[in-house]
Amino acid sequence: MGRPVYFFLHVPKCAGTTVEQHFAAALGDGFLIAPRWESVRRNFIGNRYDFAPGALDRVAVVSGHSLSTSLRRHLPGREVREVLLIREPLSWFLSFYNYRLWRQREWGEPAPPRFATWYRGQRTNPISRFILNRYFEVGYPEILTLSSQTRLRRLNRDLARFHFVGDLRFAGEVIAAASAELGLPAEVTPRNVGAGPTLRAEDLPQDLRARIARENAVDAALHRLWSERRFAEGAPDGTAEAEAALPAGDQLSYTLRDAVGTAIKKLSRHPALHTASDER
């Protein structure tokens, strides 16, 4: 078997920029941002890649929002070490919202509405959904046929083979370990895209925080189970119990949330909903 190649899944707002800037600087053309397949079919059958034989022989690390497991077929004879960094749902939504605020301040993009309104326009369980859709290539509309219980069960099964899964606070640890194996500098500089004044969890009312935890139970369970796993092998203890605790017939709720979210996003462009108050 040839030398291993690392797949660092870039879940949005989960330290992906830190990973990518580190390896881009250290590896040059040995680092690859997986290209996006510019086809509407991508949403139905997953990403597809068009590389000539041997084109990826020098690549040691791959990342990017369009990294999918099907890239493996372009790396014959090489061990693929999959790495996933995740975070708790409330933290994820706040990070994404603060990023939107930063883009408004720095780039002049439209400001998001108050946080509570903005949140109602977001998809539920975005982390698990992103992993299933982008990396494991579960396309639409198939993903909308999966209950919360099925989503977690599939992730628990497939993540068991991963080289590393953990909370984003362990980003430096896994980057340094991969760097040491690849003969690269192990010092890691965190890259926080969208730094600046932020909305914090304590700024939100308790009922909204509870609602976010309740409505994103798959991502919350994923984080509870896997945040401390790191380099251990297999799935952590408690996966069956966590799966059984989730609904097995709530597929329609995902479709309804997507439809309502689309409508709210359109309505939220109204200036009256854009305020600097911390009701966001």
Side-chain angles (χ1 to χ4, degrees):
M1 181 175 287
R3 62 192 178 93
V5 57
Y6 282 86
F7 280 13
F8 276 82
L9 282 63
H10 186 169
V11 177
K13 312 313 298 173
C14 290
T17 301
T18 297
V19 169
E20 290 171 3
Q21 292 194 11
H22 175 85
F23 288 112
L27 282 170
D29 62 2
F31 173 69
L32 173 70
I33 294 290
R36 177 188 175 102
W37 184 33
E38 298 296 343
S39 169
V40 295
R41 289 180 292 166
R42 176 177 183 263
N43 293 325
F44 296 89
I45 64 173
N47 217 22
R48 293 295 182 267
Y49 305 101
D50 184 20
F51 291 106
L56 304 185
D57 286 353
R58 290 177 53 83
V59 170
V61 176
V62 187
S63 187
H65 293 314
S66 294
L67 173 57
S68 302
T69 187
S70 62
L71 187 64
R72 289 166 166 270
R73 68 175 63 105
H74 296 278
L75 297 157
R78 296 181 65 182
E79 176 192 0
V80 174
R81 296 184 178 176
E82 297 157 303
V83 176
L84 173 64
L85 296 165
I86 55 177
R87 71 191 301 167
E88 183 274 330
L90 176 58
S91 171
W92 188 92
F93 282 110
L94 283 168
S95 180
F96 190 20
Y97 184 77
N98 287 324
Y99 175 64
R100 290 289 311 278
L101 290 176
W102 175 80
R103 288 175 69 104
Q104 189 273 329
R105 288 192 299 264
E106 299 297 320
W107 296 358
E109 294 188 358
R114 296 184 298 267
F115 180 86
T117 302
W118 173 87
Y119 169 71
R120 288 196 294 271
Q122 305 305 305
R123 292 170 171 171
T124 52
N125 295 302
I127 297 173
S128 52
R129 182 170 182 153
F130 183 92
I131 299 166
L132 286 166
N133 178 235
R134 293 291 183 89
Y135 187 69
F136 291 116
E137 300 180 309
V138 180
Y140 299 106
E142 180 187 356
I143 199 167
L144 294 177
T145 70
L146 304 181
S147 68
S148 292
Q149 188 176 108
T150 301
R151 292 175 189 224
L152 184 62
R153 181 176 295 120
R154 288 181 66 160
L155 286 171
N156 286 338
R157 178 197 67 196
D158 293 334
L159 294 180
R161 73 168 190 245
F162 272 44
H163 180 67
F164 181 101
V165 183
D167 185 86
L168 60 81
R169 71 181 185 277
F170 299 122
E173 175 185 3
V174 66
I175 294 170
S179 297
E181 180 172 6
L182 296 171
L184 306 173
E187 183 176 352
V188 180
T189 302
R191 307 289 183 180
N192 184 12
V193 176
T198 59
L199 183 67
R200 303 164 300 174
E202 52 266 36
D203 297 325
L204 303 178
Q206 178 58 40
D207 62 337
L208 179 54
R209 284 180 274 169
R211 177 184 173 187
I212 291 171
R214 182 176 65 253
E215 293 180 342
N216 297 277
V218 179
D219 285 359
L222 184 72
H223 187 263
R224 283 195 306 273
L225 289 168
W226 294 89
S227 62
E228 301 285 339
R229 187 261 206 177
R230 297 151 77 185
F231 291 105
E233 295 184 357
D237 294 336
T239 56
E241 294 81 358
E243 292 161 12
L246 292 174
D250 63 340
Q251 295 93 325
L252 183 58
S253 68
Y254 285 98
T255 302
L256 292 174
R257 179 63 181 248
D258 281 7
V260 171
T262 298
I264 289 174
K265 285 178 181 178
K266 291 181 179 179
L267 291 172
S268 67
R269 297 190 181 104
H270 193 284
L273 295 173
H274 294 253
T275 175
S277 79
D278 241 358
E279 299 181 275
R280 299 177 188 143

